[in-house]
Amino acid sequence: MMLGQRVRQFGEKLVRRRPLEPRNESEIPTPHLNSFDLVVFGVNRTLRAGVYILAGAVAVYVTMGQLHAFITGWNIILHFVLATAYLTRAWSYTFDSLIGNHISQVLEGTFSEHMPSFLAPYPDFVALALVLLMAGLLILGVHVTARVTKVSTGINALVLSFIIISGFIKGDLHNWQLTEQDYKLAASGSSDSYSLGPLGSGGFVPFGFEGILRGAAVPFYSFFGLNAIVTTGKETPNPQRSIPWSIGIFISICFLAYSGVSAALTLMVPYYQIHPYNPLPQAFHHVGWAPAGYFVAVVILCALFYSLLVVMLTMSRLICAMAEDGLLFRGLGKIYARRGTPIVAILVSAILSGIMAVLFEIHHLVELLSVGVLLAYFLVAFSVLVLRYQPDQSFSKKEKVEEETEMEPIVEGNPSPSVPEAGTSNPLKSLCNPISTTPTLKSGQIVYGCAFLLVLLLTILSLLLALWPSRVFSGDPGFTAGAVLLLLLIMWITVIIWRQPQNPSPLHFRVLSLPVFPLISIFVNIYLIIQMTTGTWAQFGIWNAVGFAIYFGYGIRHSLEEKSDQNPPASNFHTFDEHTSSAKSC
């Protein structure tokens, strides 16, 4: 009995949620943004290093519970660490190309024989120096203004337009119709034929639909700018209108930018000759526009420098906030009083990023980045799917107490006949015909169970489609029947979730067409995650193993929620105020 009670208490700790107290009118931010501002924030977060380089290669304490919060926060930290390492590596490659690749030649000649195959050919000390420089600037209290953000976005848009127009002017349509003879000619006529990439089947899509999916999974992290729109949307006068419009415009702009740059790049240079780390400047050199190549390289250096500053600033604030909540070591939240900056968080983030930048190749960083972002988006979609069908916390606690009271033995002197509720005699029927029109503890648990089962079924379906697509679509009896059966089960469980009552609480923005949209998002994220390599999954697993060790060894016992559980209920408001003030200090 004691063991069962302890297991139950441990499970409640993993899913406990921070109570969200209603804010006073004075605490609600005054709306000062519009849809254009949201688009600028999102585009600026997305059209940075990814669109220049990859063409060649939230706290949830009030949502899903403490464990989900830690997993999300820990993997977003991984995202920022890898983004910093990736940006510094990209800056180093671009800078090295401007001076004739002398740095890489010296370092590779010195260290390449001593580096393991799973690491970069040489340690990038330029990237490490840049990380330390940015850490020093952040400790001194350098800030990024909204005006600088808009200017940076405008410059990005102009440069990308120039790249796209130049590509269509200097490009050659034959580069979309390449043959094996062209590949052999390029290999024989090039002094550095070792750098040629693999040869596909030629044509417009040389690696087929599988290549498109593989390519979509790798740069997925750069669309993390959606986060900026959602998190700042509450500062607009009408979030219900501004957020969907901004997301639609944002996705359209980013789609045009990425597809336009990719088209221009592949028109100027055959796809197997594209430089993996410095594609655009090298493309202009390839078509004989060397001055344009130097100009683009300088702009890329400035864009990467600005992006690096924003990423490291955000990462240090996230580490500080998690430390203040007790999920990470509290020493990480120490504030440098003179400058008001989280000095320990900045130094730790710089050390982690510096190690990754020195040791790992840029494409390894990009793949690991995308896994973290895909997992974060998966958790967001899962949270949206589950939380819309959950009752309010106060109601669920009251209902839980009533259920426990009903389970107590009845006094013999007052027998009362039990009358079954209508519609509860058949459990299967009650799944699709709930009695209550508002969420209850039982309906919320049904959605939880169905959502986890959906994730399992979608994972199996994604594995079938990723590993044996030809057998599934060619009519193989076993594989095709298995895929059809999985689809029928997924549809049935989706109908069960759809029939459950939704929470009518007003929100700044509500996702439409539940549960279909979150379900599609979960499937896409799972399918793209499966496209990653085994080595990437091993590195991702190691990072999360370290995170779980920190959480179960420290965070679960030192979090603010653990302390609030040990105090009387009257102290909840004080705990929330403490969290608010600590978040503001970070």
Side-chain angles (χ1 to χ4, degrees):
M1 187 68 178
M2 288 293 295
L3 178 61
Q5 186 177 2
R6 290 185 178 181
V7 171
R8 180 180 178 181
Q9 290 175 350
F10 179 75
E12 289 177 349
K13 285 184 178 182
L14 298 182
V15 298
R16 61 189 171 192
R17 297 181 284 171
R18 177 182 296 280
L20 182 61
E21 302 289 344
R23 295 183 297 178
N24 297 327
E25 291 294 329
S26 59
E27 296 176 340
I28 300 176
T30 303
H32 62 280
L33 301 178
N34 52 37
S35 299
F36 175 74
D37 294 317
L38 296 184
V39 173
V40 169
F41 288 149
V43 170
N44 189 67
R45 285 288 305 273
T46 299
L47 299 185
R48 299 191 302 194
V51 72
Y52 293 117
I53 307 298
L54 288 185
V58 161
V60 289
Y61 296 105
V62 295
T63 55
M64 292 295 293
Q66 182 172 281
L67 178 60
H68 289 81
F70 180 85
I71 294 174
T72 303
W74 184 249
N75 282 283
I76 291 177
I77 291 176
L78 172 65
H79 166 82
F80 288 132
V81 167
L82 295 171
T84 301
Y86 161 70
L87 289 169
T88 51
R89 271 273 181 177
W91 196 95
S92 176
Y93 284 131
T94 306
F95 176 77
D96 191 35
S97 69
L98 286 176
I99 61 174
N101 299 314
H102 294 302
I103 297 176
S104 59
Q105 291 174 4
V106 172
L107 292 175
E108 188 169 3
T110 306
F111 294 98
S112 60
E113 297 180 358
H114 309 287
M115 299 294 289
S117 58
F118 59 88
L119 296 179
Y122 62 89
D124 196 333
F125 296 112
V126 175
L128 176 62
L130 184 59
V131 171
L132 297 178
L133 173 63
M134 300 306 298
L137 292 176
L138 291 176
I139 291 174
L140 293 176
V142 175
H143 298 287
V144 181
T145 64
R147 181 172 297 178
V148 173
T149 301
K150 291 183 179 180
V151 170
S152 174
T153 304
I155 294 175
N156 268 342
L158 291 175
V159 173
L160 291 176
S161 301
F162 169 74
I163 291 171
I164 294 171
I165 294 173
S166 301
F168 283 97
I169 292 175
K170 295 293 294 183
D172 185 357
L173 283 175
H174 180 69
N175 288 331
W176 285 354
Q177 303 168 350
L178 297 169
T179 63
E180 185 176 355
Q181 185 64 29
D182 295 314
Y183 187 84
K184 292 179 179 179
L185 184 63
S188 61
S190 176
S191 59
D192 58 343
S193 59
Y194 67 90
S195 62
L196 291 181
L199 176 68
S201 59
F204 182 69
V205 186
F207 297 100
F209 185 67
E210 182 180 353
I212 293 177
L213 293 176
R214 171 73 177 144
V218 172
F220 193 86
Y221 91 92
S222 57
F223 280 83
F224 207 57
L226 283 169
N227 177 53
I229 293 179
V230 176
T231 54
T232 56
K234 63 183 179 181
E235 299 181 34
T236 61
N238 187 3
Q240 290 83 357
R241 181 180 183 275
S242 298
I243 291 179
W245 271 101
S246 302
I247 290 177
I249 297 172
F250 159 81
I251 292 177
S252 301
I253 292 175
C254 293
F255 167 76
L256 293 175
Y258 271 88
S259 58
V261 170
S262 299
L265 185 60
T266 52
L267 282 172
M268 288 193 288
V269 185
Y271 63 89
Y272 46 74
Q273 288 183 288
I274 295 176
H275 196 284
Y277 310 131
N278 191 33
L280 291 173
Q282 294 295 332
F284 282 104
H285 284 278
H286 183 84
V287 297
W289 281 16
Y294 289 116
F295 167 73
V296 170
V298 171
V299 173
I300 291 175
L301 286 177
C302 296
L304 292 176
F305 192 88
Y306 168 77
S307 299
L308 184 60
L309 180 65
V310 174
V311 168
M312 290 191 66
L313 177 67
T314 309
M315 173 170 51
S316 62
R317 296 317 191 255
L318 174 60
I319 293 175
C320 176
M322 292 183 68
E324 291 290 341
D325 279 340
L327 296 179
L328 294 178
F329 304 110
R330 290 197 177 275
L332 295 173
K334 184 178 180 181
I335 303 296
Y336 181 32
R338 186 174 180 182
R339 296 288 181 178
T341 55
I343 183 171
V344 180
I346 292 173
L347 291 177
V348 169
S349 60
I351 292 172
L352 291 174
S353 303
I355 293 174
M356 300 295 290
V358 168
L359 296 180
F360 287 97
E361 196 67 89
I362 196 168
H363 64 272
H364 293 150
L365 299 172
V366 169
E367 287 196 353
L368 197 52
L369 262 171
S370 294
V371 170
V373 174
L374 286 167
L375 179 63
Y377 279 163
F378 161 78
L379 289 175
V380 169
F382 185 86
S383 300
V384 170
L385 177 63
V386 169
L387 294 172
R388 186 71 69 82
Y389 298 93
Q390 300 303 311
D392 293 332
Q393 290 189 23
S394 58
F395 176 79
S396 61
K397 288 181 179 179
K398 179 181 178 182
E399 186 181 11
K400 185 177 180 182
V401 171
E402 291 177 353
E403 287 186 357
E404 292 177 351
T405 305
E406 292 176 357
M407 292 176 64
E408 295 179 356
I410 303 175
V411 181
E412 294 183 0
N414 296 312
S416 59
S418 59
V419 180
E421 296 183 20
T424 60
S425 58
N426 189 343
L428 291 179
K429 185 178 180 181
S430 65
L431 291 178
C432 295
N433 295 283
I435 302 172
S436 176
T437 58
T438 57
T440 63
L441 187 62
K442 182 179 179 181
S443 67
Q445 291 173 346
I446 290 174
V447 173
Y448 257 114
C450 290
F452 279 110
L453 187 56
L454 275 177
V455 170
L456 176 62
L457 295 176
L458 289 172
T459 302
I460 298 173
L461 179 62
S462 299
L463 286 172
L464 284 177
L465 296 177
L467 300 179
W468 302 283
S470 58
R471 293 191 177 185
V472 172
F473 294 107
S474 63
D476 184 281
F479 285 90
T480 303
V484 172
L485 178 61
L486 287 171
L487 286 173
L488 291 176
L489 289 173
I490 290 169
M491 292 174 61
W492 178 57
I493 297 173
T494 303
V495 170
I496 293 176
I497 295 178
W498 172 64
R499 292 293 298 168
Q500 304 307 311
Q502 294 188 25
N503 194 319
S505 300
L507 300 172
H508 290 296
F509 173 73
R510 295 169 66 92
V511 176
L512 303 176
S513 302
L514 257 72
V516 177
F517 277 2
L519 183 64
I520 294 174
S521 178
I522 290 173
F523 172 69
V524 171
N525 282 286
I526 291 176
Y527 187 82
L528 292 178
I529 286 175
I530 292 175
Q531 304 297 318
M532 299 302 174
T533 62
T534 306
T536 300
W537 272 110
Q539 295 170 356
F540 185 72
I542 293 173
W543 172 263
N544 280 279
V546 174
F548 283 127
I550 294 175
Y551 175 73
F552 289 108
Y554 179 88
I556 196 172
R557 295 183 289 108
H558 293 82
S559 67
L560 293 182
E561 286 302 292
E562 174 70 12
K563 293 183 178 181
S564 66
D565 288 345
Q566 297 174 356
N567 294 330
S571 64
N572 283 343
F573 186 75
H574 171 71
T575 302
F576 183 75
D577 285 344
E578 180 184 352
H579 167 67
T580 306
S581 61
S582 66
K584 289 180 179 178
S585 67
C586 289

